[in-house]
Amino acid sequence: MTELNNSGEAQMPAYSEAVKSGLYAKRSGLLGKYDNVRKYWEDENTRIFLRPYLQQAIERAQSRMRRLRIVDLGCGSADGYELLSGIRFRDADLHQAQVELLSGDVLGLYKGVDLNQDLLEQARSLYGGDPKLVFQQADFTQGFLPADPDGPYDFFFSSFGTFSHHSDDETAIQLLCDIAEATEEHSFVVCDWLGRYSYEWWNLWTDCPRDLPNMDYVVSYIYDRAEREARRDSLQHLTLRLMSREEAEAIVGEAARRSRVSIEVRQFFDRSVFTGRHMDTGDYNPYAQPLRAAVNCLHESNLRTRLDDLILDYVPKPGFPFLNAYYEHLQMAWNALVKYTIELLNLYDERKRQFRSQPPPVPATYPSILREMMQRMRSIVESVGWLNSGLPRENIIEPQLGYALRYLTGALQQGRGCGHGLVGVLEIDKARPKTAGGRR
Ligand SMILES: C[S@@+](CC[C@H](N)C(=O)[O-])C[C@H]1O[C@@H](n2cnc3c(N)ncnc32)[C@H](O)[C@@H]1O
């Protein structure tokens, strides 16, 4: 196994190798960085979560006759720009053409910062022609950009576990203090960590996070099973901070105390509960099922999914009753929706364009969100099951089951560190009396 080394430079070969593998290229589908779960679940759920904050930041900037200025810390190949520019108005009508919040006249600047030159080059080759998009090499474990001529910024952004590269809390606290200082009046800060209690790394759950602040994260997920095992000894490893809500609040509180600026947690969000990348590798949980592969398949056009592969068998971990209760509740809801959809498909008569017999009623005792998703699946099967062209099961029903499951997991998440990612939105407001980083 590669020896652990926490420095920023030491972590870079992992990303360089990923770029060279070609699997960081935007091919999407069943495998690789931009697989279907990333595209249709993770990016979209992050967009939904960030929408109100981006909207507020835009309105605030506009009320001051300014355009929005964004800095993306750990931008990689500018995925953050793609993510943010895809955030849509909440209630956009079907007929509306302009649905994105971050239109050309709203954006002042997007600055991408990363330590990895290969990724920065990829970003420049994609966006270098746009003068509003600039990129700079810097190490964020050394603090925020000193003497940066491009600020002040309204939105300090990070995505997909980037804050977990602060394997020493001191560098995260210092960065937040620097951001507080660099903020002119008001800003939002998006911090994105690896969730401490993701089911993927069940082996690593602990009651005493101080004993295991970081995990040895192996970048095995970018390969399929055979290649992963063939390369096992040469796979890249990263040292990444695992984060729970309580630990994140402590970091923010300390930054607020030191900087003497109001830094408040607005909201936490668990992204990818049960569908993180290491569900498929099973590297940190002997009971992990390849659920991400199954969800990827749901969203792959022209490909039929074995829906039984979606049935979850959550294995409780002794000594963690609160986590077990949460996961078991979610598992029951998830499985109920999958099984109901399987039953709907079995009952549907494509020739007669109706169910052979009435599907079982949705129990009134089920959580309302689950009931809503079950009813939605029934409407979908009834509406398109008879279309015998265009592969209605593969291309309409299965992706809609994917969205229903996404909605369910999004609605039932608790922002505690139970997803692959824990995303936090912080608000810095220099006009507000200083607080110790509590939740609003
Ligand atoms: C998990 S990737 C996320 C990339 C991208 N933001 C995305 O959403 O896909 C983490 C990124 O942080 C960068 N990074 C890691 N340590 C860094 C450091 N100390 N300073 C600056 N960038 C760093 C990596 O090069 C990589 O691009």
Side-chain angles (χ1 to χ4, degrees):
M1 200 171 73
T2 312
E3 224 173 78
L4 290 188
N5 185 332
N6 297 353
S7 76
E9 283 294 347
Q11 312 245 18
M12 290 305 105
Y15 291 103
S16 296
E17 184 183 313
V19 173
K20 284 183 200 128
S21 75
L23 288 160
Y24 258 40
K26 302 200 174 183
R27 223 179 280 136
S28 184
L30 301 174
L31 196 68
K33 183 177 179 187
Y34 302 104
D35 64 359
N36 288 331
V37 170
R38 163 82 185 235
K39 194 166 156 189
Y40 298 114
W41 284 43
E42 295 174 339
D43 281 351
E44 280 303 304
N45 270 340
T46 311
R47 287 185 178 119
I48 292 165
F49 172 65
L50 293 180
R51 175 168 45 213
Y53 304 107
L54 184 68
Q55 188 148 12
Q56 277 180 48
I58 291 172
E59 285 165 6
R60 185 176 267 270
Q62 286 182 329
S63 71
R64 284 159 177 72
M65 296 291 119
R66 290 183 40 210
R67 301 212 246 196
L68 192 77
R69 301 179 85 77
I70 300 170
V71 62
D72 183 355
L73 298 163
C75 64
S77 49
D79 306 273
Y81 175 70
E82 212 174 285
L83 192 142
L84 292 170
S85 56
I87 296 180
R88 302 174 197 88
F89 288 104
R90 186 184 164 77
D91 298 316
D93 293 333
L94 285 178
H95 67 268
Q96 251 172 277
Q98 171 61 48
V99 294
E100 286 86 19
L101 280 178
L102 208 57
S103 55
D105 57 330
V106 163
L107 181 67
L109 183 84
Y110 165 92
K111 180 171 205 166
V113 175
D114 205 284
L115 191 51
N116 187 295
Q117 274 297 7
D118 293 324
L119 289 168
L120 286 171
E121 266 164 40
Q122 215 177 57
R124 287 192 186 103
S125 72
L126 287 168
Y127 298 108
D130 186 336
K132 285 189 187 175
L133 272 66
V134 296
F135 298 94
Q136 181 178 336
Q137 188 183 31
D139 182 346
F140 56 56
T141 62
Q142 306 299 310
F144 189 63
L145 307 169
D148 177 44
D150 293 319
Y153 299 98
D154 311 286
F155 213 79
F156 295 82
F157 183 65
S158 73
S159 54
F160 290 98
T162 301
F163 248 74
S164 279
H165 279 283
H166 292 280
S167 49
D168 175 352
D169 288 355
E170 269 308 309
T171 67
I173 293 167
Q174 189 54 51
L175 180 63
L176 290 176
C177 288
D178 288 357
I179 287 175
E181 193 180 328
T183 293
E184 193 177 56
E185 239 181 78
H186 179 279
S187 66
F188 286 115
V189 187
V190 180
C191 304
D192 198 312
W193 289 279
L194 290 187
R196 174 166 291 284
Y197 297 112
S198 180
Y199 185 49
E200 296 154 273
W201 30 83
W202 184 98
N203 284 350
L204 308 181
W205 290 4
T206 172
D207 273 336
C208 196
R210 231 174 301 155
D211 294 345
L212 187 71
N214 302 312
M215 76 181 283
D216 170 21
Y217 187 95
V218 57
V219 190
S220 49
Y221 60 82
I222 55 176
Y223 304 110
D224 64 23
R225 181 191 290 266
E227 200 174 351
R228 187 159 65 231
E229 292 319 320
R231 289 172 178 256
R232 184 57 71 181
D233 291 337
S234 60
L235 291 172
Q236 294 291 330
H237 291 243
L238 298 164
T239 301
L240 295 177
R241 178 73 158 93
L242 291 171
M243 195 60 73
S244 62
R245 183 201 299 172
E246 292 73 19
E247 292 167 272
E249 281 174 347
I251 288 173
V252 176
E254 183 56 20
R257 194 185 64 75
R258 286 192 206 169
S259 65
R260 298 159 157 259
V261 169
S262 164
I263 311 178
E264 293 196 347
V265 173
R266 289 292 299 270
Q267 204 179 348
F268 282 113
F269 168 68
D270 284 330
R271 183 184 49 229
S272 288
V273 182
F274 282 143
T275 48
R277 295 185 183 275
H278 277 293
M279 284 298 281
D280 292 358
T281 67
D283 282 344
Y284 307 91
N285 178 354
Y287 310 109
Q289 297 167 239
L291 210 61
R292 187 171 180 117
V295 175
N296 273 333
C297 197
L298 281 182
H299 289 282
E300 190 73 2
S301 46
N302 298 349
L303 195 64
R304 184 164 290 209
T305 310
R306 275 169 37 95
L307 296 183
D308 285 342
D309 290 348
L310 288 162
I311 302 292
L312 253 166
D313 182 14
Y314 171 78
V315 177
K317 179 151 178 161
F320 293 87
F322 294 115
L323 293 174
N324 291 334
Y326 164 69
Y327 278 119
E328 275 171 352
H329 176 74
L330 182 61
Q331 176 217 236
M332 301 283 283
W334 173 291
N335 285 348
L337 180 56
V338 175
K339 287 179 183 168
Y340 186 66
T341 306
I342 294 173
E343 188 152 14
L344 292 171
L345 293 169
N346 286 339
L347 286 176
Y348 194 75
D349 185 328
E350 289 160 64
R351 209 173 36 81
K352 292 195 178 143
R353 301 185 173 197
Q354 62 186 34
F355 289 111
R356 271 181 278 277
S357 60
Q358 277 308 301
V362 175
T365 50
Y366 280 6
S368 61
I369 187 74
L370 171 61
R371 289 163 49 80
E372 198 187 314
M373 290 305 107
M374 289 167 81
Q375 268 139 11
R376 181 188 289 189
M377 288 315 299
R378 179 183 167 144
S379 308
I380 288 162
V381 173
E382 256 178 329
S383 314
V384 300
W386 54 271
L387 272 176
N388 52 18
S389 59
L391 301 180
R393 167 159 168 181
E394 289 81 345
N395 293 336
I396 304 176
I397 297 170
E398 289 191 10
Q400 286 301 326
L401 175 59
Y403 293 127
L405 289 168
R406 182 188 88 182
Y407 197 65
L408 191 72
T409 48
L412 297 179
Q413 65 77 34
Q414 300 177 340
R416 297 196 315 189
C418 291
H420 182 97
L422 175 69
V423 193
V425 174
L426 318 179
E427 183 173 22
I428 296 181
D429 189 345
K430 290 187 161 170
R432 200 179 295 148
K434 286 100 196 105
T435 57
R439 299 194 74 181
R440 274 181 82 185

